[in-house]
Amino acid sequence: DYMIEKIHLSIDDIYIILLSILVTYEHKQMIYLKKETIENNSIPHLSIDKINNFFKFLSINKDDYIKKSKENKIYDKSFGKFKNLIRYPIIEIESNLFIIPVFEQFIDTISNNLYFLLLENFRNQGKDESKKFLDEFGIILEKYVLELAIKQFGAKKIVDANKIVTN
């Protein structure tokens, strides 16, 4: 729901677009990527609107990338060198011509860092929105961990934290 609300993409949309990019890169051995190469009107997740939202959220043009890097003094220190590639794993080098400099980082951003990208989005909206997201995400994560623990150890061996800590 957060993904749809904030970037107009569902998790399914993101992963279908990712898979389409993977297939495009693999079969054509491309260095450059254009949005229309992954568009497919017969697959709802690959509409041009969804692809545009995907690129809007995960890409930056090369001039803005260089500007952000200089502002953050990325090249002056080793720590944080890949900060901008984590946030923007796709770089637009000219109009509708994109490059993915570190493909593994692109996959990592989508698979491991979506939470942090959402958190950044809510932090930019203000403290109240950020806290609301963190609280709701924490509850969802607790339920997920509890389900995993019950599956592994059995319901009788697991006690919900809310039954132990009542305040």
Side-chain angles (χ1 to χ4, degrees):
D1 290 342
Y2 282 125
M3 298 296 290
I4 292 169
E5 178 185 332
K6 299 303 172 193
I7 62 171
H8 311 291
L9 294 169
S10 70
I11 294 294
D12 289 346
D13 295 332
I14 289 170
Y15 284 108
I16 297 294
I17 293 169
L18 168 65
L19 289 173
S20 180
I21 291 171
L22 286 169
V23 167
T24 300
Y25 265 79
E26 180 66 28
H27 291 300
K28 296 182 181 172
Q29 296 186 357
M30 298 171 56
I31 295 174
Y32 301 109
L33 176 67
K34 292 185 176 190
K35 293 176 188 176
E36 59 267 15
T37 61
I38 59 173
E39 181 184 4
N40 186 330
N41 292 328
S42 63
I43 302 172
H45 299 284
L46 293 175
S47 71
I48 196 62
D49 287 340
K50 290 186 180 192
I51 292 168
N52 283 335
N53 288 337
F54 181 88
F55 277 80
K56 182 179 176 184
F57 185 64
L58 291 169
S59 73
I60 188 171
N61 70 48
K62 75 175 180 183
D63 294 332
D64 288 342
Y65 183 86
I66 292 168
K67 182 180 172 187
K68 281 184 179 286
S69 296
K70 286 181 180 179
E71 285 172 4
N72 294 323
K73 299 182 179 180
I74 297 290
Y75 304 111
D76 295 345
K77 52 188 173 185
S78 60
F79 179 76
K81 253 196 249 190
F82 297 103
K83 176 182 172 187
N84 290 337
L85 279 180
I86 292 169
R87 178 57 190 93
Y88 301 105
I90 304 170
I91 298 174
E92 185 175 25
I93 55 174
E94 59 184 60
S95 182
N96 193 30
L97 187 62
F98 298 85
I99 182 172
I100 299 173
V102 182
F103 209 79
E104 292 79 6
Q105 183 57 63
F106 169 64
I107 293 170
D108 188 57
T109 294
I110 291 173
S111 59
N112 295 326
N113 293 320
L114 280 180
Y115 166 78
F116 297 107
L117 299 181
L118 278 175
L119 185 58
E120 173 191 58
N121 189 299
F122 284 100
R123 190 177 27 228
N124 291 338
Q125 292 179 23
K127 192 175 183 177
D128 291 341
E129 286 296 315
S130 181
K131 182 177 178 353
K132 179 182 170 201
F133 171 72
L134 286 170
D135 289 347
E136 289 178 9
F137 186 84
I139 291 168
I140 292 167
L141 183 61
E142 281 181 33
K143 286 180 183 177
Y144 175 66
V145 170
L146 185 64
E147 287 174 17
L148 290 177
I150 288 171
K151 192 172 189 174
Q152 181 65 33
F153 302 109
K156 292 180 181 178
K157 293 183 179 180
I158 303 298
V159 179
D160 187 326
N162 293 320
K163 292 179 182 172
I164 299 170
V165 180
T166 56
N167 288 337

